[in-house]
Amino acid sequence: MLSLRLRYPIQTLDNQLLFPPETLLTEEALDAVTDSHGANSYQTCPFLSYGSVREDCLGFLSLRPYATVFRDKKRIGDLLSLSETVHLSIPILQSLDYFKQHDSYTYSHVLMVFALSTLLAKDLVPDYEECIRLAATGPTHDIGKICVPLDILKKRTPLTKTERGFLEHHAAAGYALLGYYYKNRRHLACTVALDHHERRDRSGYPRGNLLEDPLVEIIAVSDIYDALVMPRPYRSGAYDNRTALEEITEMAKQNKIRWDVVKALIAHNRKSDPPYKEITVSAEKRGVPPSYNFHGITAEAEDPRDRTG
Ligand SMILES: [Fe+2]
Ligand SMILES: [Fe+2]
């Protein structure tokens, strides 16, 4: 049963306030807000045909390390043909415009999490319909970041405690926004938005719940991988691929994320592209992380927002 005290507001891109700060976000509260806007019916559009999504996606896939993972042209063809079936509603798609315009890190991130998770799902999820269901959640898993100030999303130095809380707010905000737009809080996209930062050892957020839904776990691993291998404002550069895979292997060893998803990711990074069940993961650590990285480091300095709550 969901029960989360919101410290920050949840609003749509057109500034409709769905939940003010201090609201207790429950399933009933979300249903009440959704029902009160029951007349709205949103037009949908194939995700890949929206704006420049298709060409942007192909552009990002041509960069390392995705160029290696997607080196097989058939693999890109499969991804595109499966993606044709993914339709999203216009207000959800407008979040992509927002990120493209204001936060290019998040824009490329959601497209690459979509591409990678769809590839991994083909190995790990036997049911094709389930793969399609999962493919529709990659582009929206971080939609809650529209409720996080851009100066926090793009900050180059350590976040204060308040800023970290604001950043973590994106999980609950994404759940509420997608529940509202889909008019169904049980939609897989809502679960993915809420739980993609949870971990198998309960060390994640927003609830410290057990991460155990195989579909959400595919997004969680894709999310971590992309955050490591692509540039981020808070560190000196991207992780090289080897170091990123070592970091992810370490997380699987600590039982934070699922081994078979990590193995599928590693298998696609190997030249021979072996079946993931047959690979042996090296325990050797040779990677060198970026020289500075403020991820997970909290600033000691007082934040004026701490005083206002
Ligand atoms: Fe996220
Ligand atoms: Fe993400």
Side-chain angles (χ1 to χ4, degrees), residues 109 113 141-142 145 196-197 223:
H109 172 69
V113 168
H141 78 280
D142 272 340
K145 286 186 177 173
H196 68 278
H197 289 287
D223 184 61

Side-chain angles (χ1 to χ4, degrees), residues 264-281:
L265 174 64
I266 292 173
H268 284 303
N269 273 284
R270 291 201 176 153
K271 269 202 182 106
S272 58
D273 203 0
Y276 78 91
K277 286 183 180 166
E278 293 174 13
I279 71 161
T280 311
V281 178

Side-chain angles (χ1 to χ4, degrees), residues 17-308:
L17 182 64
L18 301 187
F19 296 100
E22 298 311 318
T23 308
L24 188 63
L25 179 63
T26 60
E27 287 153 4
E28 294 72 26
L30 181 53
D31 286 345
V33 167
T34 305
D35 290 348
S36 70
H37 293 78
N40 286 347
S41 188
Y42 302 106
Q43 207 188 334
T44 66
C45 169
F47 155 65
L48 275 182
S49 309
Y50 184 76
S52 55
V53 166
R54 187 189 184 95
E55 60 182 279
D56 292 339
C57 204
L58 289 172
F60 298 137
L61 286 175
S62 70
L63 303 174
R64 279 168 183 262
Y66 292 106
T68 307
V69 176
F70 286 88
R71 60 194 171 278
D72 178 354
K73 292 283 167 279
K74 182 178 176 304
R75 197 168 281 174
I76 294 188
D78 288 349
L79 173 73
L80 295 179
S81 68
L82 185 143
S83 309
E84 300 293 346
T85 58
V86 174
H87 290 237
L88 296 173
S89 70
I90 297 298
I92 291 176
L93 288 164
Q94 283 168 343
S95 70
L96 299 177
D97 293 332
Y98 173 83
F99 292 131
K100 181 167 181 173
Q101 193 179 350
H102 299 290
D103 177 11
S104 55
Y105 295 107
T106 300
Y107 181 63
S108 76
H109 172 69
V110 296
L111 295 188
M112 290 303 92
V113 168
F114 149 76
L116 184 60
S117 61
T118 304
L119 176 72
L120 298 176
K122 286 183 73 193
D123 297 330
L124 298 160
V125 181
D127 186 284
Y128 186 70
E129 294 298 320
E130 286 282 275
C131 287
I132 293 173
R133 234 160 52 90
L134 184 71
T137 72
T140 63
H141 78 280
D142 272 340
I143 193 173
K145 286 186 177 173
I146 67 168
C147 299
V148 180
L150 288 166
D151 63 327
I152 295 178
L153 291 179
K154 298 200 275 192
K155 196 172 176 196
R156 306 179 78 88
T157 51
L159 296 179
T160 64
K161 211 170 145 220
T162 298
E163 289 168 338
R164 180 155 305 285
F166 223 141
L167 179 65
E168 294 184 358
H169 173 63
H170 83 275
Y175 167 79
L177 286 164
L178 291 167
Y180 174 75
Y181 287 130
Y182 280 113
K183 295 189 177 68
N184 173 15
R185 60 177 158 75
R186 293 193 179 87
H187 195 287
L188 179 62
C190 303
T191 311
V192 164
L194 184 63
D195 290 341
H196 68 278
H197 289 287
E198 301 289 6
R199 298 292 175 252
R200 294 175 69 80
D201 62 355
R202 296 182 189 268
S203 63
Y205 68 84
R207 294 183 285 174
N209 270 10
L210 190 66
L211 178 64
E212 57 179 351
D213 180 324
L215 298 179
V216 182
E217 291 190 87
I218 292 173
I219 297 283
V221 171
S222 307
D223 184 61
I224 297 164
Y225 179 72
D226 184 77
L228 291 171
V229 298
M230 297 301 272
R232 285 292 177 274
Y234 48 77
R235 63 175 184 237
S236 52
Y239 280 67
D240 66 83
N241 201 36
R242 183 190 172 93
T243 312
L245 292 173
E246 286 179 3
E247 294 279 328
I248 288 175
T249 300
E250 189 59 35
M251 290 182 76
K253 276 191 198 160
Q254 292 171 8
N255 191 38
K256 291 185 183 299
I257 49 178
R258 189 180 286 265
W259 262 117
D260 59 358
V261 187
V262 173
K263 283 187 172 182
L265 174 64
I266 292 173
H268 284 303
N269 273 284
R270 291 201 176 153
K271 269 202 182 106
S272 58
D273 203 0
Y276 78 91
K277 286 183 180 166
E278 293 174 13
I279 71 161
T280 311
V281 178
S282 160
E284 195 186 353
K285 288 201 83 174
R286 286 194 284 142
V288 182
S291 57
Y292 74 81
N293 182 1
F294 295 133
H295 179 71
I297 296 175
T298 306
E300 303 261 327
E302 195 183 350
D303 183 326
R305 282 174 282 212
D306 287 334
R307 287 194 292 268
T308 56

